[in-house]
Amino acid sequence: MTNKNAPLRDFTRGGQTLLHFFRMGSQVFKRFFALVVLGWVLSVLGFYYLKTTAYERYAVVKWVVARTAVDWMDPQNTLAFRLSNGREASVSIERLARHPRLLALVRQHQGVLLTACWVGLLLTALLFSGVLWLIIQTGRGLRHEKHLRGGQLTTSQRLTTELRVTGQASDVRIAGVPLLKGAETSHLLITGSPGSGKSLAIRDVLDGIRQRGDRAIIYATTGEFVEHYYRGDCDTILNPLDARCPAWNVWNDCHAPTDYDQVAQSLIPDARSGDPFWTKAAQILFSMTAQRLATQNPSTAALLNYLLTVDLATLQQFLHGTEAAPLVEKDAEKMSLSIRATAAAYARSLKFLRQDDAPPFSIRRWVESDDDDRWLFMTSRADQKAALRPLITSWLDIAAAAILAQAPDPKRRLWVVIDELPSLNRLPSLSALLAMGRKHGACGVLGFQSYAQLCDIYGRHAAEEITGLCSTWVLYRANEPVTAAWCSKALGTVENLEANEGLSYGANEIRDGVNLSMTRQTRPLVMPSEMQALPDRHGYLRLPGDFPIARFEIPYRPRPVIAPGYAPVTTQALTLETPA
């Protein structure tokens, strides 16, 4: 219900507040003006005192008295005057007022007084400025918050200056802000909604990697990084639907039973819910089939033939004596068909692999050759993503395991850049790579659009573990509330002393007053709503250690296109081999 007296109450409230404000301002101005005038008078007198002697001031005072008395008294009246030698003399006021030496001294002191006025004016101006600054700063200090503990916000320019002055600036930069020197192996996390600037940050990182001459493994769901960074004479592209992809098969990177198990686990991910038996059994079936083929006919066509098309009796005979044999028993045909269906759903991505006489490519051997600056690109177009997801997940997992198998080397730097991490299946070796890859020179760069996507693939606890292993965070706009709250929490909280100002007024002026009180407040350094309201290409940078959080704006900087992002190849499905 509308209050009809609201305008009158607003008028009264506003009038009382303004009147109280003017009364308080007038009070401050009067005292401030009196202080300035007093300062000017004292400055003039002080300068005059320093530039004259006591006898000169005595003589000038006597002249002033005599000059005044001439107009009001008999000029022949006398005044006692002390001479410069200390002797007392009685001199007429007329002679004293017209004495040439006294007149010259008076003119000299007039000049001194004029100079003293100007000097006093200058000193008063300085006093005025100083007192005014002190008053304003005191008022501002009472109005503003006082930081007690917790995180702090700063500008990208100030953070850059601090890193350079302390000698901790890395040659890898994001939006012109250097990362912390030596912290590459502590890994980097970049998150942001579509169009917010995530790819621009990854490009800045890739610029720094290329400039340093470091090696890198790069996964992206588009070909934009290939367009700007791929060098056809030394870099490699792994995408079976790209004409530049070399020949790869399972046996190029599997030499021990554990290698086959690892590939099976990454190719066929564990079930997110329900009975895990079916995925575990499918992993065993794939691993045992590939191991058995390694001694007979190690070809992708034969592997897919056993997994997808041969009858159950033939498969059982082929796997006789292995761990997988009980999984394909004819007496449990329904179970066997379910296991094969699970394996087929993921293993069918192998059918796109190249099967010509091209030199074989090994991811493990590529990782072990760490004496150059070659890059390895793993790509897929949007329309290929679903078909190639299991295969690319397996490739990245092989690379992660190969890095951890390397001898420790604190000088080695091998970057693993994964854009759109949730677009892959679960990477079994990812947590191990982030946790133990430091001594092996692994530098992880993980990009994703929302925290909910990461939790959907890895589960909440594993997602917290993965993000917690990244020390450097780059956070862009988060459109949905869950990710916005997660980003806000990641940037931390701050405890401040905040001023609370209360105004009281009444019909009697005695009741008018302003109350100031300081209270401790703990709040997020950046609120979730602020994360949701970030413009495109604006974000926050959090470095490891006791550094403030910097808000930055990353400019769009075009890079030259040096290679096609995607070179399509006409790929036919494999002709499955009939087992001997």
Side-chain angles (χ1 to χ4, degrees):
M1 184 176 180
T2 304
N3 189 346
K4 296 182 180 180
N5 294 324
L8 180 60
R9 292 182 179 180
D10 293 340
F11 174 80
T12 304
R13 186 184 299 110
Q16 286 282 358
T17 302
L18 285 175
L19 287 175
H20 183 63
F21 171 79
F22 286 128
R23 279 197 300 270
M24 293 180 67
S26 174
Q27 184 182 34
V28 174
F29 178 78
K30 288 177 182 178
R31 285 169 171 76
F32 178 65
F33 182 76
L35 178 63
V36 170
V37 172
L38 178 63
W40 179 78
V41 172
L42 293 177
S43 299
V44 171
L45 294 178
F47 183 85
Y48 177 76
Y49 181 83
L50 292 174
K51 293 296 182 179
T52 59
T53 64
Y55 182 75
E56 289 175 344
R57 292 191 295 272
Y58 167 77
V60 169
V61 171
K62 283 294 185 179
W63 178 86
V64 171
V65 172
R67 183 67 187 83
T68 305
V70 164
D71 297 330
W72 298 94
M73 299 175 61
D74 185 357
Q76 300 304 317
N77 288 347
T78 61
L79 281 176
F81 186 81
R82 186 175 76 251
L83 301 176
S84 58
N85 58 10
R87 197 164 51 84
E88 292 281 347
S90 181
V91 184
S92 68
I93 57 176
E94 182 178 10
R95 183 182 176 187
L96 201 60
R98 303 183 189 278
H99 195 282
R101 293 178 61 184
L102 276 180
L103 289 175
L105 181 63
V106 168
R107 285 192 293 271
Q108 176 186 345
H109 277 231
Q110 286 176 342
V112 172
L113 276 174
L114 182 61
T115 303
C117 289
W118 285 108
V119 171
L121 190 62
L122 176 61
L123 294 176
T124 302
L126 295 176
L127 175 65
F128 174 86
S129 302
V131 174
L132 183 63
W133 178 85
L134 179 62
I135 291 174
I136 292 175
Q137 287 299 115
T138 301
R140 183 174 297 164
L142 292 174
R143 176 172 57 89
H144 282 185
E145 302 171 353
K146 181 180 179 181
H147 179 265
L148 296 178
R149 57 182 177 175
Q152 288 183 282
L153 284 176
T154 188
T155 63
S156 57
Q157 293 83 2
R158 290 180 179 175
L159 180 59
T160 301
T161 301
E162 181 178 352
L163 289 168
R164 288 176 177 170
V165 168
T166 58
Q168 301 182 77
S170 170
D171 45 8
V172 178
R173 298 174 179 84
I174 293 179
V177 184
L179 303 183
L180 185 62
K181 189 175 182 179
E184 301 94 344
T185 52
S186 295
H187 314 302
L188 171 65
L189 181 150
I190 304 175
T191 182
S193 59
S196 60
K198 180 163 53 67
S199 295
L200 297 180
I202 295 178
R203 286 186 195 177
D204 280 359
V205 173
L206 294 180
D207 288 341
I209 298 173
R210 178 57 55 82
Q211 185 177 5
R212 292 173 54 157
D214 292 344
R215 303 170 72 223
I217 300 172
I218 303 165
Y219 164 72
T221 56
T222 64
E224 65 169 308
F225 299 143
V226 173
E227 289 180 347
H228 303 304
Y229 299 100
Y230 173 70
R231 301 164 299 180
D233 57 338
C234 59
D235 296 334
T236 303
I237 294 178
L238 281 182
N239 179 348
L241 301 180
D242 192 302
R244 296 164 291 185
C245 180
W248 180 91
N249 61 44
V250 173
W251 300 272
N252 290 353
D253 283 303
C254 292
H255 308 290
T258 53
D259 297 336
Y260 292 98
D261 291 342
Q262 179 201 353
V263 171
Q265 187 178 7
S266 57
L267 191 69
I268 306 171
D270 293 333
R272 301 180 195 174
S273 60
D275 192 350
F277 168 78
W278 305 108
T279 54
K280 292 295 185 183
Q283 292 169 8
I284 295 173
L285 176 61
F286 180 91
S287 177
M288 290 296 102
T289 304
Q291 289 183 56
R292 181 58 61 92
L293 279 173
T295 61
Q296 300 180 17
N297 181 21
S299 71
T300 303
L303 175 62
L304 291 177
N305 190 40
Y306 278 111
L307 292 176
L308 305 180
T309 62
V310 299
D311 59 81
L312 199 57
T314 303
L315 181 60
Q316 183 182 12
Q317 182 181 2
F318 178 73
L319 295 174
H320 180 71
T322 68
E323 299 173 21
L327 303 176
V328 290
E329 289 285 350
K330 288 190 64 176
D331 296 338
E333 184 176 358
K334 186 176 180 180
M335 178 192 73
S336 301
L337 292 176
S338 298
I339 294 173
R340 292 184 70 182
T342 303
Y346 296 97
R348 63 188 302 271
S349 63
L350 300 178
K351 71 180 182 180
F352 300 109
L353 290 173
R354 187 171 178 175
Q355 293 294 304
D356 54 21
D357 296 330
F361 179 79
S362 170
I363 298 173
R364 292 183 185 274
R365 282 197 296 271
W366 186 93
V367 170
E368 293 166 359
S369 303
D370 58 358
D371 55 349
D372 51 40
D373 66 343
R374 294 178 299 160
W375 287 13
L376 176 60
F377 294 87
M378 301 180 185
T379 65
S380 66
R381 293 192 323 193
D383 57 337
Q384 304 167 355
K385 185 167 60 175
L388 299 182
R389 180 186 293 121
L391 182 59
I392 295 178
T393 302
S394 183
W395 283 341
L396 281 169
D397 204 56
I398 291 172
I403 293 173
L404 295 177
Q406 291 280 82
D409 184 353
K411 296 182 180 180
R412 182 189 297 124
R413 290 293 182 269
L414 177 51
W415 295 76
V416 181
V417 181
I418 305 177
D419 189 18
E420 302 299 347
L421 177 60
S423 67
L424 298 169
N425 291 331
R426 183 187 179 105
L427 280 166
S429 299
L430 180 59
S431 295
L433 178 68
L434 299 177
M436 300 183 292
R438 182 182 183 90
K439 61 182 179 181
H440 301 281
C443 309
V445 179
L446 307 181
F448 53 90
Q449 294 182 5
S450 74
Y451 184 62
Q453 289 179 328
L454 200 63
C455 292
D456 184 50
I457 300 297
Y458 288 89
R460 181 176 177 181
H461 294 296
E464 290 177 353
E465 178 186 5
I466 290 171
T467 57
L469 290 170
C470 298
S471 298
T472 303
W473 288 41
V474 180
L475 305 177
Y476 288 96
R477 182 181 64 249
N479 289 338
E480 49 94 13
V482 173
T483 303
W486 175 74
C487 291
S488 173
K489 185 178 180 181
L491 292 175
T493 58
V494 58
E495 183 179 1
N496 290 331
L497 273 180
E498 296 183 357
N500 295 319
E501 183 174 343
L503 177 65
S504 61
Y505 60 90
N508 193 316
E509 292 183 6
I510 297 177
R511 298 186 60 184
D512 292 354
V514 175
N515 301 316
L516 276 175
S517 62
M518 304 297 291
T519 58
R520 288 175 178 260
Q521 295 288 343
T522 301
R523 58 174 178 78
L525 187 65
V526 178
M527 298 179 64
S529 57
E530 293 179 277
M531 293 301 307
Q532 292 177 294
L534 280 175
D536 288 345
R537 300 185 290 107
H538 288 251
Y540 293 95
L541 173 62
R542 191 194 79 181
L543 297 178
D546 190 21
F547 288 96
I549 307 296
R551 177 167 175 171
F552 65 85
E553 178 183 2
I554 186 167
Y556 175 78
R557 185 164 56 89
R559 275 84 168 172
V561 176
I562 62 176
Y566 178 68
V569 61
T570 303
T571 303
Q572 300 294 333
L574 291 179
T575 302
L576 302 184
E577 301 177 4
T578 304

